[in-house]
Amino acid sequence: MWPDRRLLELFNIELPIVQAPVAGAMDWELAVAAAEAGALASLPCAMLNPDQVREQMAKIRARTKKPVSLNFFCHTPPVLNNAREARWRERLAPYYRELAIDPAAPVPSSNRTAFNSVMCDVVEETKPDVVSFHFGLPEAGLLQRLKAGRFLVMSSATTAAEARWLEARGVDAVIAQGNEAGGHRGIFLSDDIATQAGTFALVPQVVDAVKVPVIAAGAVTDARGIAAAFALGAAGVQIGTAYLWCPEAKISAPHRAALKSARDDGTALTNLMTGRPARGIINRLMREVGPISEVAPEFPLAAGALAPLRAKAEAQESGDFSPMWAGQAASLGRDMPAGQLTKALAAEALERITRRVEDVKRLRARDAQARPPRVEARNTRGRDRKFLPGLRQPRLRRLESGGIGGLERNPGQSRALLVAPAGAGAVPDIGGHVVVVASR
């Protein structure tokens, strides 16, 4: 039994796992596998046009009736800055020449679509169970349309303040994205990535800040991470990097190879790939130009000038210019089909959680069977005095004596002494052999 079932009941899923939407790295195939295994499937739509979203959803619905989420970005479309673009291309020019690419050649546009009225039409048409967002929420009118359509809504928060902001606008769940997470930071109330908290620090503070279920995200790659998330108060987890290991993931050969040799210190936050901070495996571009550079154009324009470099390098089996998204626990991933991975993670996590619960039960049973404390009552002349029957079983709590004062027994101490006025009936709440001395 999972210790918190709110997410299961909210999304009508079997397992408290959300398959993270990693744009450009997964499609309907992985979503179907995760859904059939019992997780909440996610289809990343930020790099798809409306017709592609319809096509992907049709493939999903033809293969599963389980719950699925459509994920969108909520960034403000950038204003093209020709001077900044020119500086960016100038910075990349040596790599163009190295790979025999014309630096003056036109570059493709960056296809990161922000949620808009057209995409809202697609949502209303395809009817996903959940709509999730990154970088905040869409404008109020679009959000109201989703609520009117009875779609469940969730979004990422990287701080407790962002979580409260999301809850105030009606989200049904909050994804607490720790700094360890792979891919784009969901930060939207600030742009200061230096102050971003890790998952272990962020999750309990978000849990305390909001009433809706909290989903822990960031370096949750194995059963230990899932169990820890529940211990921190989360109602479930969102897992991304672990799914990139799966054969269903649509990642490049260099990216897959980099995952298999991943280290705990092998990732960094970079804005070079898209113009917005995102965590990925460190490659040549990040080492030589960044990982953070003020020259990189605003999101998502930085990706345009990188596209020719990425294509040429990947054709040569190199990830030098590729966004190889991964969290800090990427090395804990396992190469197995998505459905099998989902079930294995859940079973292993539940076993860990259940084992901890059983351990607690055994400790409580052992304490209950321990020898009850003896209570002796004497007055200051050493004569026995009768104690009230209800006061014969002192409780194991901090010693309080109605303002009279007393002593708390230290571990291993067999006796404790309390001096109280005669007839006060005061008995210390303390275990062990207790002597009560009543003064006149």
Side-chain angles (χ1 to χ4, degrees), residues 42-340:
S42 301
L43 178 68
C45 301
M47 297 178 69
L48 304 178
N49 63 39
D51 287 339
Q52 289 172 325
V53 176
R54 292 186 181 97
E55 178 186 1
Q56 293 278 308
M57 276 296 286
K59 290 181 177 180
I60 291 173
R61 289 308 190 199
R63 293 164 175 80
T64 184
K65 303 302 179 185
K66 299 291 184 68
V68 62
S69 169
L70 292 186
N71 175 260
F72 300 92
F73 286 173
C74 289
H75 60 285
T76 301
V79 176
L80 182 63
N81 184 321
N82 290 329
R84 192 170 181 179
E85 285 284 335
R87 289 197 301 272
W88 182 229
R89 295 194 62 167
E90 181 181 354
R91 182 63 184 85
L92 300 177
Y95 301 117
Y96 271 70
R97 289 190 290 269
E98 178 184 329
L99 295 178
I101 303 172
D102 181 4
V107 299
S109 61
S110 304
N111 59 335
R112 304 295 196 284
T113 304
F115 189 73
N116 55 27
S117 61
V118 176
M119 283 300 191
C120 196
D121 292 340
V122 174
V123 169
E124 292 170 336
E125 176 187 333
T126 58
K127 293 180 169 49
D129 303 88
V130 183
V131 183
S132 66
F133 295 102
H134 214 47
F135 314 138
L137 289 170
E139 60 95 8
L142 295 176
L143 186 59
Q144 181 56 40
R145 283 178 60 181
L146 296 176
K147 286 295 184 180
R150 297 184 181 278
F151 296 105
L152 294 172
V153 175
M154 63 178 176
S155 187
S156 299
T158 65
T159 64
E162 288 180 346
R164 286 189 289 267
W165 188 95
L166 293 173
E167 184 180 50
R169 284 153 182 81
V171 299
D172 299 285
V174 169
I175 303 163
Q177 187 195 33
N179 194 40
E180 305 95 325
H184 286 96
R185 302 296 302 144
I187 185 170
F188 62 91
L189 290 185
S190 168
D191 58 3
D192 186 2
I193 60 172
T195 61
Q196 295 275 278
T199 306
F200 204 84
L202 177 66
V203 171
Q205 295 185 75
V206 171
V207 169
D208 290 347
V210 299
K211 295 182 174 60
V212 297
V214 174
I215 302 164
V220 182
T221 312
D222 66 6
R224 290 170 293 184
I226 298 173
F230 276 96
L232 295 174
V237 296
Q238 178 171 277
I239 298 175
T241 303
Y243 280 114
L244 296 182
W245 282 73
C246 301
E248 296 94 334
K250 303 302 187 288
I251 60 175
S252 66
H255 192 171
R256 197 171 293 277
L259 285 173
K260 293 181 179 180
S261 60
R263 307 184 319 190
D264 60 327
D265 61 351
T267 68
L269 288 176
T270 180
N271 69 337
L272 303 180
M273 304 301 171
T274 65
R276 193 177 184 110
R279 184 174 295 282
I281 296 172
I282 298 170
N283 61 9
R284 178 186 175 188
L285 182 72
M286 293 166 65
R287 285 192 298 269
E288 296 180 358
V289 178
I292 299 294
S293 173
E294 61 180 14
V295 179
E298 191 176 352
F299 179 85
L301 300 177
L306 279 177
L309 294 170
R310 175 183 178 182
K312 190 71 174 284
E314 286 184 358
Q316 299 173 2
E317 299 186 351
S318 168
D320 284 350
F321 305 97
S322 301
M324 298 185 290
W325 305 138
Q328 289 182 328
S331 64
L332 301 179
R334 289 177 284 181
D335 188 356
M336 63 173 63
Q340 182 182 343

Side-chain angles (χ1 to χ4, degrees), residues 370-392:
R371 178 176 61 86
R374 289 186 294 120
V375 178
E376 299 174 0
R378 300 187 182 93
N379 60 24
T380 50
R381 296 184 178 181
R383 298 173 183 172
D384 292 342
R385 65 186 288 259
K386 186 175 182 180
F387 240 51
L388 296 176
L391 299 178
R392 291 187 180 276

